[in-house]
Amino acid sequence: MNETDIIERFFQRPCTDPAVTRHIGDDSAVLTPTDGTQLVVTTDAMVEEHHFVSQSPAHAIGYKLMAVNVSDLAAMGATPRWATLSLTLPSIDEDWLTSFSRGLFECADHYHVELVGGDLSAGKQYTMSVQLIGEIAHGKALLRNSAQPDDAIYISGEIGHAGAALSKLAQAAYDHTVLNECEMKALYYPPAQVQLGQGLCHLAHACIDISDGLLHELDSICRQSQCGAEINLEHITTSCELEPLEAIVQGDDYQLLFTARADQHTHIEQLAQRLGLAVCRIGQMTQHPQLVIKQHGRVMPTPERHGYDHFSPA
Amino acid sequence: MNETDIIERFFQRPCTDPAVTRHIGDDSAVLTPTDGTQLVVTTDAMVEEHHFVSQSPAHAIGYKLMAVNVSDLAAMGATPRWATLSLTLPSIDEDWLTSFSRGLFECADHYHVELVGGDLSAGKQYTMSVQLIGEIAHGKALLRNSAQPDDAIYISGEIGHAGAALSKLAQAAYDHTVLNECEMKALYYPPAQVQLGQGLCHLAHACIDISDGLLHELDSICRQSQCGAEINLEHITTSCELEPLEAIVQGDDYQLLFTARADQHTHIEQLAQRLGLAVCRIGQMTQHPQLVIKQHGRVMPTPERHGYDHFSPA
């Protein structure tokens, strides 16, 4: 099987999006953006032994690769549209390619994303990146640098489940049968909060997706918005096996962390209810540029490690 | 040094493109496409030991990574605009990062491309991909599937130099000092024919960039356009050390291969002259779906291997 065979067999499908004039099979794809929109563009990669292990199911790897990119667009309030895939393979494993491409397309279909191009290479380990282009009405993108002092801080859903699943896997020598359905879903099939992000465009000030740990992301909002933040650990309720202080420094949650004026609270609750989502108020932004963690009114020591970093010792 | 440090130190620069509302530093970049244009999107990756060797100069790797993507847009006749970078590093080598990022930006600046986002991971070997978005007037993109029987076939520039340089390097155990300036330039600093592509939008039928070998690319035009082609080896003049029959199955040339109605010949020559480029007529498209190679009127056996394939034995 050569490059062309692999692309045609596993990645090329008829294209149903009328905005796509040309997709996989030419030097580049040709796309027609919607009038009056801005483009929102992101890229996220996954590398074997760093983002997943060789025992990870290929279907799940494909699904998650697309989902983490969709999540970055969700955090801007954008609508995902078109993706390209860059894939490095250590060998041609047809079963792996079948499962991987099915997982990738399952996620793409769920979020109405069209795969319009890509590139295939040989390499020492599985390495893959997706670039995703979305659209948003002019000037409506949710940014990290727009939080205000006194904004309320919210998170969607529950955090910590993926982190808990990872610890469990490490203890079980990466035997995936130890994971229950909820842990498997949190780790490999994270929901990207696209509809929540779109609804927040008119309600929130700043927004970010929690990929590298809540504390890490909150720190990013603080630094970029030149504010501080105070969070209350007892408001971070999670059914996972981690303590809140552990859960806020794990990553891979793909929930949204956002800030909004306190008087938007009712609207935010209504939006969450309409989407069938839990949204939790966990603290507020402050003037003084500092991260303060409280539990039942007492100030806790801030963990030195705020979240996941590829190049720092664990 | 952590991820954020590496990004800020080597990849984040002030952005001068007024179309870029938000670049590196948020979940996604926010861009404003030009009214009335279509997007042209491509991605190309480079993997250590497959696209370059550890002895390759980092500056050259960075330059070429951007150039090969620009070349894909050139083959569509598009104007390159915005790039994202996905980079996997085996370790943090500050000298390597300094040279690599300088090379990448040198090429980006040359073609007026803005780096708007990216992703950094750790991995076993250097693996990198750029995704590039360009623009083109509606319906003007040059495709691979629009060649007509009786079209004349052209190539720009000279082919074979990068292939010759690679053979020389392999013989010298990858000691780069054996390469002269012309070979170094062909292998690592290939010119992307953006202006030629733009000019050809009104003159050519089909176009492709020669990344995997002339014969391989011509075969792609033939299959997608449901035609055949006849080329004359004696018209492929090259100052490189390879015979024409070898040069047409090497890759990495990044010249344009295109077809046009015979009566456009004068316009094509004028365009080439204006750009100071050699453009060579090497054959014509045919009705019968077959690739025929002739030398001084005699039919030559067609090489079994049409060009470079990552997953086929060399």
Side-chain angles (χ1 to χ4, degrees), chain A residues 108 118 150 210 213 255 278 313:
Chain A
D150 300 323
I210 307 176
Q255 295 296 340

Side-chain angles (χ1 to χ4, degrees), chain A residues 22-24 26-31 39 41 82-85 116-118 131-133, chain B residues 38-44 69 72-73 76 78 82 130-135:
Chain A
R22 189 84 180 145
H23 75 312
I24 298 172
D26 216 312
D27 290 288
S28 315
V30 182
L31 317 167
L39 302 178
V41 179
W82 308 293
T84 58
L85 167 69
V116 297
Q131 181 213 35
L132 187 58
I133 304 175
Chain B
Q38 286 186 296
L39 301 177
V40 183
V41 179
T42 190
T43 185
D44 255 330
N69 279 282
D72 276 322
L73 292 199
M76 310 293 277
W82 309 294
V130 154
Q131 302 87 2
L132 186 59
I133 304 175
E135 294 183 322

Side-chain angles (χ1 to χ4, degrees), chain A residues 1-4 6 8 19 21-22 25-51 69 71-76 82 84-92 116-125 127-131 133 136 138 141-145 207-209 211-212 216-217 220 223-224 308-312, chain B residues 1-4 6 8 19 21-22 25-51 69 71-73 75-76 82-92 116-125 127-129 131-133 136 138 141-145 207-209 211-212 216-217 220 223-224 308-312:
Chain A
M1 223 170 7
N2 64 24
E3 268 179 81
T4 313
I6 299 172
E8 284 177 0
T21 301
R22 189 84 180 145
D26 216 312
D27 290 288
S28 315
V30 182
L31 317 167
T32 309
T34 310
D35 277 347
T37 59
Q38 285 186 297
L39 302 178
V40 183
V41 179
T42 190
T43 186
D44 255 331
M46 293 193 354
V47 180
E48 187 183 353
E49 284 169 42
H50 292 265
H51 300 86
N69 280 281
S71 180
D72 276 322
L73 291 200
M76 310 294 278
W82 308 293
T84 58
L85 167 69
S86 191
L87 183 61
T88 304
L89 304 172
S91 64
I92 299 176
V116 297
D119 188 55
L120 202 56
S121 311
K124 275 188 188 162
Q125 61 184 164
T127 305
M128 51 198 75
S129 64
V130 155
Q131 181 213 35
I133 304 175
I136 195 162
H138 261 268
L142 290 166
L143 307 177
R144 297 177 177 186
N145 65 0
C207 186
I208 195 168
D209 82 318
S211 47
D212 295 331
H216 177 90
E217 314 299 3
S220 174
R223 277 183 294 111
Q224 294 208 24
Y308 186 77
D309 188 294
H310 285 284
F311 298 97
S312 290
Chain B
M1 222 172 7
N2 64 25
E3 269 178 80
T4 313
I6 298 172
E8 284 178 0
T21 301
R22 188 85 180 143
D26 217 311
D27 291 288
S28 315
V30 182
L31 316 167
T32 308
T34 310
D35 278 346
T37 59
Q38 286 186 296
L39 301 177
V40 183
V41 179
T42 190
T43 185
D44 255 330
M46 294 193 353
V47 181
E48 187 183 353
E49 284 170 42
H50 292 265
H51 299 86
N69 279 282
S71 179
D72 276 322
L73 292 199
M76 310 293 277
W82 309 294
T84 59
L85 167 69
S86 191
L87 182 61
T88 303
L89 304 173
S91 64
I92 299 176
V116 297
D119 188 55
L120 203 56
S121 310
K124 274 188 190 162
Q125 60 185 164
T127 304
M128 52 198 74
S129 63
Q131 302 87 2
L132 186 59
I133 304 175
I136 195 164
H138 261 268
L142 290 166
L143 308 177
R144 296 178 177 186
N145 66 359
C207 186
I208 195 168
D209 82 317
S211 47
D212 295 331
H216 177 90
E217 315 298 3
S220 175
R223 279 182 295 112
Q224 294 208 24
Y308 186 75
D309 188 295
H310 285 285
F311 298 98
S312 290

Side-chain angles (χ1 to χ4, degrees), chain B residues 98-118:
Chain B
T98 302
S99 297
F100 173 81
S101 57
R102 277 193 194 147
L104 185 86
F105 282 123
E106 195 177 306
C107 185
D109 290 343
H110 186 76
Y111 295 104
H112 311 292
V113 169
E114 201 76 51
L115 184 71
V116 297

Side-chain angles (χ1 to χ4, degrees), chain A residues 67 74 97 111 133 155 159 180 183 186 191 238:
Chain A
L97 279 164
Y111 296 103
I133 304 175
I155 51 170
I159 62 168
N180 62 37
E183 289 161 339
T238 170

